[in-house]
Amino acid sequence: MTTRISRKKAILAIIVLLALIGIVFFAYAIIRSKENPDVTAAFIEEHMTNDNGTIATYLKPASSENPDIVAGREALSESLGLWMQHAVLSGDRARFDDSAQLLTTYFLHNGQETYIRWKLRPDGQSEVTTNALGDDLRILDALLKAYKLWDQDEYLQLAKEIGSTLQASAQTQGYFVDYHDFERNASAAVLSLVYADISALREMQNNGILSRQKYEQYQDLLSHMPSDGIFYPKTYQIGSGQYEYDASVNLIDQLIVGIHLAEMDHPPKELIQFLKGEFRKNQQLAGRYNRKTRKPDAAYESPAVYGLAIILASKTNDLPWARELHDRMIQFRGQDPAYPGGYVFDGNTHAFDNLFPLLAETLLEPTVK
């Protein structure tokens, strides 16, 4: 009888031990998924990729009613550029080559001028004849860094073709501008400061695509840019030479401009101080702020905002703050169990709310191992 009881106890102990091991393993898997940026890349590949390989802008399909406004599963050159930058940062040559193939197959218009269409339909066809400067420069940055990393001449040659078109057509009074309509041969008269991508412009100058004088022109544009004490202007008006502010400040724009400044070794100290204060006080950052009151102008939080704030913190060597921001950012990941690794809310998400966090985590990952 005693032997039978002892045997039952032993079996029960084994069952309990196995259950505990299972719980520990499950908890470890959850923790790893929270810390591993590959889960977001896997979400993008599984759920945000169209049949032709292009990255959809939104998770949910929707019809486009205006060719100038993105909808549903349409693909943006912005998303392609971010995906290419992630491939370079993570050293994933296969992913980069696939992206470069998408660029040349679908986005690149090869006619009298070689330019990148800023938007495609889900099937890869395009109804637009304009580029988007910021997206072009992001793609150029990725191509030139990939050339440096893998020594592939075709990356450099493609970058030179795109850069040559930008210089020939997408300028107004000697400045790159937001877009050029290649069908109407008309350019914008404004340069949004988020598009003054100093990293890309530096790579262009280093590879003989842009003159040193032109590169320094954009350095001067940013270094002499005014500030209202915290926030930066939205645009530079080419004709008047005036900088203009938005009344309601989009924090994504501010952070990208701040990253450009950090790339020049001119960190945006007042902006960072303000954001740290906001985060310390509220344990969150709002998506928009009223420029005059400095109060949140929107109730939402954006994973893209946190991703960009992490990138800015990393580039200013403020790793403790980067990790605090990271802890807040990943609270929004995987909330919808149908889409593990994704930043999905109410069954939908925007590509950049996954791509910017992915870039941020890839940049931060070596520092948290």
Side-chain angles (χ1 to χ4, degrees), residues 265-280:
D265 295 323
H266 294 296
K269 294 178 182 178
E270 293 82 5
L271 176 64
I272 291 173
Q273 186 177 2
F274 170 77
L275 295 178
K276 281 187 169 184
E278 281 291 300
F279 192 75
R280 192 179 303 115

Side-chain angles (χ1 to χ4, degrees), residues 190 193 226 232-237 240 242-246:
V190 64
L193 293 163
Y232 296 103
K234 174 71 178 290
T235 58
Y236 178 70
Q237 301 293 327
S240 65
Q242 298 296 309
Y243 295 86
E244 293 190 354
Y245 292 87
D246 276 346

Side-chain angles (χ1 to χ4, degrees), residues 23 40 62 97 113 156 191 254 275 289:
I23 290 169
T40 301
D97 283 341
E113 295 173 294
L156 176 61
L191 171 60
Q254 294 294 310
L275 295 178
Y289 284 86

Side-chain angles (χ1 to χ4, degrees), residues 57-58 64 66-72 74-76 118-120 350:
T57 302
Y58 291 97
S64 176
N66 185 335
D68 293 328
I69 300 174
V70 67
E74 291 185 317
L76 297 178
W118 74 274
K119 187 185 78 155
L120 305 176
H350 193 291

